[in-house]
Amino acid sequence: MVKYGTMSIRILSEQVASQIAAGEVVERPASVVKELVENAIDAGAKTVNIDIRGGGRQLVQVADDGLGISSDEIEIAFKRHSTSKLAQVEDLEAIETLGFRGEALAAISSVSQLTVVSRTQEDSAGTRLTLEAGVLANRESVGAPHGTVIAVANLFYNVPARLKFLKSVTTERKHIDEIVTRYAMAYPGIRFRLTHDNRITFQSSGGNLLDVLTSIYGSETAKQLLELREQGRSSAETDSRSSIRVSGFIGPPGLNWSNRNQITLYVNGRWIKDNRLNYAVIQAYHTLLPVGRYPLAVAFVTTDPENVDVNVHPAKTEVRFRQANAVFGALQRTVRQTLISDSPIPHATHFSSVIGQDWAGTTERQAPIWQTETALPGGRDFALDRRIGTQSGEVGSDGQQIEPVDGVSDDGLSNDGIKKLPIMRVVGQVGASYIVTEGPDGLYLIDQHAAHERVLYEKFMADWEEKQDQEGMISQGLVSGVTVQLSPAQSTLLEGHLHLMERIGFQIEPFGPNAYMVRSVPALLTKIDPARALLDVVEDMERGDAPLQGKIEARIILRVCKSAAVKAGQSLGYQEMEAMIRQLEQCQNPHTCPHGRPTLIHLSASQLAKEFGRT
Ligand code: ADP
Ligand code: MG
């Protein structure tokens, strides 16, 4: 230990400075993989082979067939702050490559034994360099194909303090797998191959995103995924925000996990970690997933590079947005719309066989494994269309006019774009809790309580919206006015929506530049600080959401829980069951209750045939 005060001040040697800086870029073997893979992608590689030994501690090798590094520049590439991707400060404003800081190779080489072999199209031979702790140990000319191979051996061999922090081989491998699959998803056109100790553990074949998702998740899961599609944009997000696009795939609610690890987000092709955006995805599944369960999503947000600052941290996985709320809103909305129009009915695929089962004896029950069948034809998103600020006229009748049976396709599902359920005939009731129906493709079991909750939820929401359309929301005057300061952008947004603000119960007046005086607030919000209430609503608008939507939904869910009349264990007459089914059919989102549990499951005719050994 060096005692403070015993040394004079001096400038650190290049080597020590790089080692310190390396701490930020190179945390573990997976960081090396990340930086080398990014460099390969930036170099235009079509094939990237990653070979790992000992969880990356012994060796991380990345080989690409990209542009290569020319023999007269290769040494410079390993100096700190050397990059071919950025020349001036202004370039930072609009970064289109994955790298730009010119730090990775210097950092990695300073904490390992590194060998690079590279050759460009122009060079007649390749160059091989060996560096030990960042110091050039050997240079020679070698025969080599076009492209670059970088082998990083014995990571942290000269920094024992960091070696101690490495986890087990299994853990380090997991981190590496995560990095490689995430880049493979972002660049499906590039062929990736990952080997651990000479065994191929992942491979993508240079196709489209769904191909990559198939190699990661398997075809059973991949075929259930729903492709994100943007539908009509609400008027609040035209102009500047229309530059935000969202694409990718999401899982249906039936596919869910106990953690958020299956949510993968990219901004302009760069994988990012952003809790807020993760939350946008989770929120989109609101009422469709049970509490504590998380969806699968692979979503790509594209926006003007000028709207994103990636230079927040050396690892470049955090970004800042110029219009964070608009990005949040676009992502949340696209996921929600896709779910609402394309979510399938949960499908039971596993039965415990009755053969050989001791009816009297066993009490152990096997929980069904929720699975989903292929996507239904697209439907319409009433909830979103009906929102304030959108043209609501054409669907104002709340989907009452569901077209009857014609147009029902082979699978029994109408493709008129509105119906979310097949036409069903009530057969009976089981255990005073489930309604059994028959549809065009087999048997359906409906949880009567969950179904009733869904029906009431949508009814209360519709009632609320109608009442609000007619009367506006109840407003509560404040004893004394409260001033709120907004940003110029928020102020402009609010200016344009003063009428709407009045309708939802705010009485506000301009009070100096970008400032407003709040005189009354919606009765719904009297418990909140009035300034906070106004800001909440402005933030809702920035996201392109209907103001107060979230709060209202939460209230209505509470009310539904209290008032859902039909409970499990209550026997229902035929007509009551009929009525329940008809009402459920008219829901926009009939497949789950507002808490996200399924309202119905499906046993298809072919499953039944299979179970009875007929096929
Ligand atoms: P950055 O990627 O931020 O520019 P790096 O330290 O990762 O910084 O790389 C430094 C430079 O080395 C890059 O700008 C690039 O010119 C060159 N380079 C690194 N890896 C490769 C590669 N696989 N193929 C071609 N050039 C590369
Ligand atoms: Mg780089």
Side-chain angles (χ1 to χ4, degrees), residues 35 38-39 42 85 98-100 104-105 316:
E35 294 296 336
E38 285 193 354
N39 282 347
D42 282 345
K85 301 166 192 173
L98 294 167
F100 56 86
L105 292 186
K316 299 164 292 184

Side-chain angles (χ1 to χ4, degrees), residues 248-495:
F249 286 87
I250 54 170
L255 268 182
N256 52 66
W257 277 260
S258 61
N259 59 49
R260 292 151 210 239
N261 294 349
Q262 309 310 323
I263 303 176
T264 311
L265 302 175
Y266 300 87
V267 171
N268 292 349
R270 182 188 302 278
W271 170 46
I272 57 145
K273 294 183 189 166
D274 186 309
N275 283 337
R276 239 175 81 77
L277 287 188
N278 269 353
Y279 183 64
V281 173
I282 294 166
Q283 211 190 46
Y285 282 80
H286 185 54
T287 82
L288 304 177
L289 275 185
V291 176
R293 303 295 299 178
Y294 299 93
L296 185 163
V298 179
F300 294 81
V301 175
T302 8
T303 179
D304 239 334
E306 274 134 52
N307 292 334
V308 190
D309 182 2
V310 289
N311 193 21
V312 179
H313 183 268
K316 299 164 292 184
T317 50
E318 284 168 47
V319 296
R320 268 193 222 114
F321 295 102
R322 205 164 279 177
Q323 300 163 309
N325 283 336
V327 173
F328 183 102
L331 178 60
Q332 195 253 13
R333 201 161 32 249
T334 309
V335 173
R336 184 79 183 170
Q337 285 171 340
T338 305
L339 278 172
I340 287 179
S341 40
D342 296 350
S343 270
I345 301 174
H347 197 95
T349 55
H350 288 239
F351 306 91
S352 44
S353 171
V354 261
I355 301 164
Q357 195 168 307
D358 177 2
W359 291 99
T362 60
T363 47
E364 199 180 302
R365 279 190 217 155
Q366 207 174 323
I369 294 173
W370 302 111
Q371 282 287 338
T372 42
E373 57 179 358
T374 45
L376 299 186
R380 198 124 53 98
D381 177 4
F382 294 112
L384 292 160
D385 283 349
R386 273 204 265 110
R387 293 195 320 200
I388 304 159
T390 64
Q391 60 307 358
S392 57
E394 48 164 299
V395 286
S397 52
D398 189 23
Q400 299 288 351
Q401 74 301 46
I402 285 170
E403 265 128 78
V405 209
D406 45 46
V408 172
S409 54
D410 282 342
D411 55 5
L413 303 164
S414 145
N415 49 20
D416 61 10
I418 295 177
K419 275 187 67 61
K420 306 277 171 51
L421 288 184
I423 300 293
M424 295 185 283
R425 180 178 73 81
V426 172
V427 175
Q429 195 188 21
V430 175
S433 298
Y434 307 103
I435 302 170
V436 185
T437 70
E438 185 195 5
D441 182 31
L443 178 79
Y444 296 80
L445 283 170
I446 290 111
D447 179 323
Q448 63 195 39
H449 178 67
H452 195 217
E453 284 193 326
R454 166 56 66 184
V455 166
L456 287 181
Y457 174 70
E458 297 204 0
K459 182 180 177 307
F460 292 163
M461 284 298 288
D463 288 352
W464 177 80
E465 273 158 21
E466 192 185 325
K467 183 152 160 254
Q468 187 198 270
D469 279 352
Q470 285 164 6
E471 307 161 19
M473 261 160 76
I474 301 162
S475 179
Q476 171 87 54
L478 300 175
V479 182
S480 55
V482 173
T483 50
V484 183
Q485 184 67 44
L486 300 178
S487 72
Q490 289 175 325
S491 169
T492 313
L493 190 63
L494 193 60
E495 265 319 297

